[in-house]
Amino acid sequence: MFKIIICLLLITTIQASTSSHWGFTTKPGFTSITRSTSYKSMTASRSTTTSRTTNQIVAEGKFVVGIKKGAIDKLLPMAINTWNFTDANAMAWRILKQSRGGVRQTRNAVVEGCTKCEQLQCDGTVGYGGSPDEQGETTLDAMVMDGATMDVGAVAGMRLIKDAIRVARHVLERTAHTMLVGDAATEFAISMGFRSESLVTPESKTMYQQWKAKDCQPNFWRNVHPDPKISCGPYEPTATPLTRWKEDRARTEYQIGAKHHDTIGMIAIDVDHHIHAGTSTNGARHKIHGRVGDSPIPGAGAYADNEVGAAVATGDGDVMMRFLPTLLAVEAMRNGKSPAEAAEVGIRRILKHYKEFSGAVIAVNRLGQYAAACHGMREFPFVVSNPTQAIHVETVKCLPPEPSVEVVPLTKQT
């Protein structure tokens, strides 16, 4: 009888000192999440966390976040998006607040937040009536990704439909596909009840006419004749051998910045750490007809994984889609890097090959901690809403230009 009483007392003491649920270990005043590098399992260790600092564990290749109990409630739910698009963020935040902790609202928040930008034609770079291609037509790209299932719905080069990200949501929810493109995406949208209408506006028509009057400068052609630097097409291939295109004249002249940032990327996370990410854009102005950029490409324009976090990107999409910077950022966080370090990973991988690149990456971990990195601009603005701050615009200073290195040939000593 005495042994039974002792055992019961020990069990009661253990239960009072620590409790676990879904991989969380909660102690008085402290909550920690410990994940192995492979993310195959989630474990919680009271003795390990109390004996070593978070930085020590992170340095060993594990993703560990330690914050005071209750502080996590101040970071989630949250909505964050690229550029100074406050109305879009306000819409997402309003939707998140419709349920306690934003639970089951992250998809709605991302889709309707980006839809708001499409309706407002955010700076002429999102939605209808902006960025006409070289035929004068506006086409739309959009994507939404579910971090729980890793499912994606996307449309690219879609004509005659204004609600790009809402159509992408239908691709996600109504099909087993990831992406629909061009006229086929338009036909799908119409079958889902969307209205077909012209995306050209008087403003976009004026842009197109002014561009034609300037001999179609700048444009995205190379190695063709007549010379695309001084004349419009139609173009034909040149007979000269192809050479490496080290300097992209068109992108140099098409500056990414206050009125040429071409994408809204948005992330929403609820208190249960469910994540959605999405994008919407009308692409690069005067692009070759049929061009699609990074925005609807998973891992390029956006990426989300409930186990880790999410990232969105904006900038020179033709370059960015070659490196999948948002996937790089999420995987960097999986391997223990902070959101700030992870965002920079995506940018620096691009700069290794394209020194003149302009763009930005936002990275958010599953607890709502966020950061951004950028290059090719002086600074990059983004908008955040969480329980501590609503519709808050922040800016980050961009990385300095990479120093140019002049290679001096060695001369033979006499």
Side-chain angles (χ1 to χ4, degrees), residues 243-263:
T243 58
R244 179 175 173 82
W245 193 27
K246 293 183 178 179
E247 297 297 330
D248 189 333
R249 175 179 178 274
R251 293 193 196 99
T252 300
E253 292 188 5
Y254 183 85
Q255 294 294 325
I256 304 297
K259 295 294 180 181
H260 299 286
H261 34 70
D262 77 5
T263 304

Side-chain angles (χ1 to χ4, degrees), residues 127-185:
Y128 70 100
S131 300
D133 63 19
E134 64 177 13
Q135 295 185 9
E137 186 171 16
T138 295
T139 57
L140 305 181
D141 306 332
M143 174 183 68
V144 57
M145 182 170 186
D146 185 334
T149 63
M150 310 307 292
D151 289 337
V152 175
V155 293
M158 186 172 66
R159 306 171 58 244
L160 305 175
I161 304 292
K162 288 184 176 180
D163 304 296
I165 196 168
R166 285 177 176 170
V167 178
R169 179 175 187 164
H170 277 269
V171 175
L172 171 67
E173 296 177 348
R174 312 294 180 190
T175 81
H177 298 312
T178 293
M179 180 184 294
L180 299 178
V181 302
D183 290 340

